[in-house]
């Protein structure tokens, strides 16, 4: 997909429902400044959406630059999620 930084290995878990909608989400990101993705707990929103944003050319090292942020209701959850995404990306 366009804009993916070449030093990252992006893999998507086919068991997560969000992964099946990657192309739709990328198209929405290309045409809309803000999108809202709703799904059940455990559908992969928190872990897969940052990677989908990277494939859409968003984030550091991409053609559009910027950052990809996430929020969680508790700091420990935010840190755990950030560590998991970094691990999945093969990044520090």
């Amino acid at each position: 997909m366009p804009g993916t930084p070449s030093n990252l290995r992006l893999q998507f878990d086919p068991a997560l429902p969000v992964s099946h909608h990657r192309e739709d989400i990328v198209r929405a990101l290309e045409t809309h400044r803000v999108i809202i993705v709703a799904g059940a707990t455990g559908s992969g929103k928190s872990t897969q959406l940052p990677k989908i944003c990277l494939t859409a050319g968003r984030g550091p090292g991409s053609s559009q630059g910027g950052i990809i942020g996430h929020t969680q209701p508790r700091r420990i959850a935010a840190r755990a999620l950030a560590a998991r995404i970094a691990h999945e990306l093969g990044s520090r």
Side-chain angles (χ1 to χ4, degrees):
M1 293 206 167
T4 303
S6 60
N7 61 335
L8 296 178
R9 22 175 246 266
L10 299 176
Q11 297 177 333
F12 297 92
D13 185 344
L16 297 172
V18 166
S19 295
H20 299 283
H21 298 283
R22 281 185 7 229
E23 292 178 10
D24 297 329
I25 294 167
V26 168
R27 273 195 301 277
L29 285 168
E30 290 170 348
T31 56
H32 301 285
R33 192 175 157 129
V34 174
I35 66 169
I36 297 171
V37 178
T41 300
S43 65
K45 298 178 306 292
S46 295
T47 58
Q48 304 306 296
L49 284 174
K51 295 186 290 187
I52 293 171
C53 288
L54 285 170
T55 65
R58 304 298 198 276
S62 68
S63 59
Q64 299 217 356
I67 62 170
I68 298 169
H70 73 271
T71 61
Q72 292 291 315
R74 309 250 181 316
R75 181 177 13 170
I76 191 131
R79 291 183 58 89
L81 179 59
R84 178 173 171 182
I85 292 169
H87 176 73
E88 287 183 16
L89 294 175
S91 176
R92 294 182 356 200

